Amino acid sequence: MVLTAQDDFLAPFIQGKVGVAPSLLAADFARLGEEMQAAQSAGADWLHLDVMDGHFVPNLSYGLPVIQSLRRASSMVFDVHLMVAPVDGYIDAYAAAGADVITVHAEAGPHLDRSLQKIRSLGKRAGVALCPATPPDVVDWVLDRLDLILVMTVNPGFGGQEFIPAMVPKIAQLRDKIGKRNIVLEVDGGITVTTAPAAIAAGANMLVAGSAVFGVKGGDYRRSIDQIRGA
Ligand code: DX5
Ligand code: ZN
């Protein structure tokens, strides 16, 4: 049986709750299923899944078969971050594989509006990710097609990089643009107990964390997640 997330999974975060989405990129790939279950048991809000194509970003991670297998084993919210260009040809497949949120990069192609329409037409929640050098205005004419905005706080492609502090005012500008719309504001890259407070203060309310959760060797995932959420 394929398990799916409950329909209103965005609601608490639209109402202001701060969530943590551990990124499986930093998990032990020999034990992916167990790592996912451990994150869920430790109170992870969503599971962040980074798909890298070796073209849009200079690294490869994992793709459809891995997400399909994980989906059969979990009802967690799957927050799928596609670092893929061109991306439109993959949206159907990731929706079918069990993604709940599908996030595409603003820089991944010339037709962001079409990509977002496609995601919603499949019954999925639509996100856009912005690389550090991308101005926040790229969202201006697609705001009504968005469920999530992901601010990259590192250059995408690798876990374990340092948070870029210059992204803090960009997070704040995007929070202003969102206004009263039902859009979650997510940050991704270099999020730790030390960097999370600035991101949260600027208006982020979904915090992706790879190294700071799965990367802590012998780590207590619940403690890490609680500390980041409460930072
Ligand atoms: C980077 C990915 C991130 C990454 C975050 O391209 O999008 O989700 O896993 O890893 P940390 O938290 O280690 O920076
Ligand atoms: Zn990511």
Side-chain angles (χ1 to χ4, degrees):
M1 188 181 65
V2 174
L3 302 167
T4 51
Q6 60 286 15
D7 276 347
D8 62 346
F9 63 85
L10 289 178
F13 308 105
I14 283 162
Q15 288 153 17
K17 183 183 171 190
V18 173
V20 176
S23 167
L24 207 60
L25 191 66
D28 178 353
F29 277 23
R31 301 186 302 109
L32 278 184
E34 285 167 52
E35 291 273 72
M36 171 179 67
Q37 305 294 358
Q40 181 165 25
S41 308
D45 294 282
W46 296 356
L47 187 70
H48 187 80
L49 295 158
D50 288 301
V51 177
M52 301 181 181
D53 69 351
H55 166 76
F56 178 67
V57 289
N59 196 11
L60 289 162
S61 55
Y62 49 73
L64 287 165
V66 169
I67 293 177
Q68 282 160 354
S69 298
L70 293 171
R71 178 78 291 166
R72 285 193 286 272
S74 175
S75 61
M76 285 184 90
V77 172
F78 280 7
D79 175 32
V80 176
H81 177 191
L82 297 178
M83 285 160 273
V84 176
V87 69
D88 285 6
Y90 291 96
I91 291 172
D92 278 298
Y94 280 92
D100 296 296
V101 181
I102 298 180
T103 296
V104 298
H105 266 266
E107 310 84 3
H111 304 298
L112 176 60
D113 184 272
R114 177 182 291 144
S115 309
L116 297 172
Q117 285 193 54
K118 170 97 186 160
I119 296 167
R120 280 197 170 168
S121 77
L122 297 166
K124 304 299 177 181
R125 306 309 174 103
V128 65
L130 277 58
C131 287
T134 300
D137 323 16
V138 294
V139 306
D140 286 358
W141 299 100
V142 292
L143 279 169
D144 292 330
R145 300 206 188 281
L146 287 172
D147 300 297
L148 178 140
I149 298 173
L150 188 167
V151 180
M152 289 302 311
T153 42
V154 299
N155 287 287
F158 303 93
Q161 302 180 80
E162 261 187 48
F163 180 87
I164 300 173
M167 294 301 104
V168 172
K170 185 157 106 178
I171 298 165
Q173 284 185 29
L174 285 159
R175 174 50 70 193
D176 280 348
K177 287 179 189 294
I178 289 170
K180 291 193 183 323
R181 290 184 177 81
N182 293 337
I183 298 174
V184 173
L185 186 54
E186 183 173 57
V187 285
D188 184 6
I191 298 296
T192 65
V193 284
T194 311
T195 58
I200 296 169
N205 68 328
M206 182 57 70
L207 311 169
V208 176
S211 310
V213 177
F214 291 115
V216 183
K217 288 294 160 236
D220 175 344
Y221 294 171
R222 178 172 291 280
R223 187 160 169 264
S224 301
I225 290 168
D226 287 348
Q227 283 180 344
I228 295 166
R229 197 192 281 110

mmCIF file of all heavy atoms in Angstrom, residues 3 10 29 61 69 99 118 127 140 175 184 196 203 215:
data_model
loop_
_atom_site.group_PDB
_atom_site.id
_atom_site.type_symbol
_atom_site.label_atom_id
_atom_site.label_comp_id
_atom_site.label_asym_id
_atom_site.label_seq_id
_atom_site.Cartn_x
_atom_site.Cartn_y
_atom_site.Cartn_z
ATOM 1 N N LEU A 3 1.389 4.836 1.139
ATOM 2 C CA LEU A 3 0.885 5.738 2.176
ATOM 3 C C LEU A 3 1.036 7.173 1.699
ATOM 4 O O LEU A 3 1.984 7.513 1.022
ATOM 5 C CB LEU A 3 1.700 5.539 3.462
ATOM 6 C CG LEU A 3 1.673 4.105 4.002
ATOM 7 C CD1 LEU A 3 2.736 3.914 5.067
ATOM 8 C CD2 LEU A 3 0.308 3.785 4.561
ATOM 9 N N LEU A 10 0.034 21.570 5.127
ATOM 10 C CA LEU A 10 0.642 22.914 5.089
ATOM 11 C C LEU A 10 0.084 23.820 6.174
ATOM 12 O O LEU A 10 0.739 24.783 6.582
ATOM 13 C CB LEU A 10 0.359 23.578 3.735
ATOM 14 C CG LEU A 10 1.058 23.052 2.494
ATOM 15 C CD1 LEU A 10 0.571 23.831 1.279
ATOM 16 C CD2 LEU A 10 2.559 23.168 2.610
ATOM 17 N N PHE A 29 23.264 6.250 3.601
ATOM 18 C CA PHE A 29 22.555 5.722 2.427
ATOM 19 C C PHE A 29 22.437 4.194 2.448
ATOM 20 O O PHE A 29 21.645 3.639 1.698
ATOM 21 C CB PHE A 29 23.241 6.180 1.127
ATOM 22 C CG PHE A 29 22.833 7.569 0.686
ATOM 23 C CD1 PHE A 29 22.320 8.497 1.581
ATOM 24 C CD2 PHE A 29 22.957 7.949 -0.645
ATOM 25 C CE1 PHE A 29 21.938 9.786 1.172
ATOM 26 C CE2 PHE A 29 22.582 9.223 -1.080
ATOM 27 C CZ PHE A 29 22.074 10.140 -0.163
ATOM 28 N N SER A 61 22.522 12.806 -6.687
ATOM 29 C CA SER A 61 22.129 12.254 -5.382
ATOM 30 C C SER A 61 21.350 10.964 -5.600
ATOM 31 O O SER A 61 21.930 9.905 -5.776
ATOM 32 C CB SER A 61 21.340 13.285 -4.574
ATOM 33 O OG SER A 61 20.229 13.769 -5.304
ATOM 34 N N SER A 69 10.387 3.775 -3.264
ATOM 35 C CA SER A 69 10.541 2.771 -2.199
ATOM 36 C C SER A 69 10.273 3.373 -0.834
ATOM 37 O O SER A 69 9.606 2.756 0.008
ATOM 38 C CB SER A 69 11.962 2.192 -2.215
ATOM 39 O OG SER A 69 12.190 1.543 -3.429
ATOM 40 N N ALA A 99 5.696 12.280 -4.130
ATOM 41 C CA ALA A 99 6.016 13.596 -3.565
ATOM 42 C C ALA A 99 4.730 14.266 -3.096
ATOM 43 O O ALA A 99 3.670 14.082 -3.707
ATOM 44 C CB ALA A 99 6.679 14.464 -4.637
ATOM 45 N N LYS A 118 1.685 22.894 -13.708
ATOM 46 C CA LYS A 118 1.753 21.441 -13.916
ATOM 47 C C LYS A 118 1.720 20.706 -12.569
ATOM 48 O O LYS A 118 1.000 19.721 -12.399
ATOM 49 C CB LYS A 118 3.058 21.139 -14.667
ATOM 50 C CG LYS A 118 3.425 19.701 -14.775
ATOM 51 C CD LYS A 118 2.981 19.140 -16.086
ATOM 52 C CE LYS A 118 3.219 17.653 -16.164
ATOM 53 N NZ LYS A 118 2.412 17.021 -17.175
ATOM 54 N N GLY A 127 6.247 24.391 -5.162
ATOM 55 C CA GLY A 127 7.247 25.266 -4.561
ATOM 56 C C GLY A 127 8.217 25.780 -5.593
ATOM 57 O O GLY A 127 8.443 25.148 -6.633
ATOM 58 N N ASP A 140 7.345 37.382 -8.081
ATOM 59 C CA ASP A 140 6.272 38.390 -8.092
ATOM 60 C C ASP A 140 5.052 37.994 -8.917
ATOM 61 O O ASP A 140 3.925 38.231 -8.504
ATOM 62 C CB ASP A 140 6.791 39.736 -8.595
ATOM 63 C CG ASP A 140 7.660 40.443 -7.553
ATOM 64 O OD1 ASP A 140 7.817 39.908 -6.439
ATOM 65 O OD2 ASP A 140 8.199 41.525 -7.865
ATOM 66 N N ARG A 175 9.158 37.201 2.899
ATOM 67 C CA ARG A 175 8.082 37.166 3.897
ATOM 68 C C ARG A 175 7.103 38.314 3.640
ATOM 69 O O ARG A 175 5.879 38.142 3.677
ATOM 70 C CB ARG A 175 8.695 37.228 5.308
ATOM 71 C CG ARG A 175 7.722 37.344 6.451
ATOM 72 C CD ARG A 175 6.592 36.341 6.417
ATOM 73 N NE ARG A 175 6.976 34.963 6.678
ATOM 74 C CZ ARG A 175 6.183 33.904 6.441
ATOM 75 N NH1 ARG A 175 4.966 34.070 5.927
ATOM 76 N NH2 ARG A 175 6.596 32.677 6.704
ATOM 77 N N VAL A 184 4.232 28.680 2.518
ATOM 78 C CA VAL A 184 5.253 28.368 3.522
ATOM 79 C C VAL A 184 6.592 28.918 3.028
ATOM 80 O O VAL A 184 6.910 28.817 1.838
ATOM 81 C CB VAL A 184 5.336 26.832 3.732
ATOM 82 C CG1 VAL A 184 6.496 26.462 4.649
ATOM 83 C CG2 VAL A 184 4.011 26.299 4.285
ATOM 84 N N ALA A 196 19.833 29.077 12.574
ATOM 85 C CA ALA A 196 18.362 29.070 12.499
ATOM 86 C C ALA A 196 17.718 30.334 13.076
ATOM 87 O O ALA A 196 16.746 30.837 12.487
ATOM 88 C CB ALA A 196 17.795 27.817 13.170
ATOM 89 N N GLY A 203 11.594 35.451 9.105
ATOM 90 C CA GLY A 203 10.283 35.009 8.621
ATOM 91 C C GLY A 203 10.231 33.595 8.075
ATOM 92 O O GLY A 203 9.174 33.153 7.621
ATOM 93 N N GLY A 215 23.685 14.244 10.109
ATOM 94 C CA GLY A 215 25.148 14.281 10.056
ATOM 95 C C GLY A 215 25.817 14.226 11.417
ATOM 96 O O GLY A 215 27.039 14.103 11.496
#
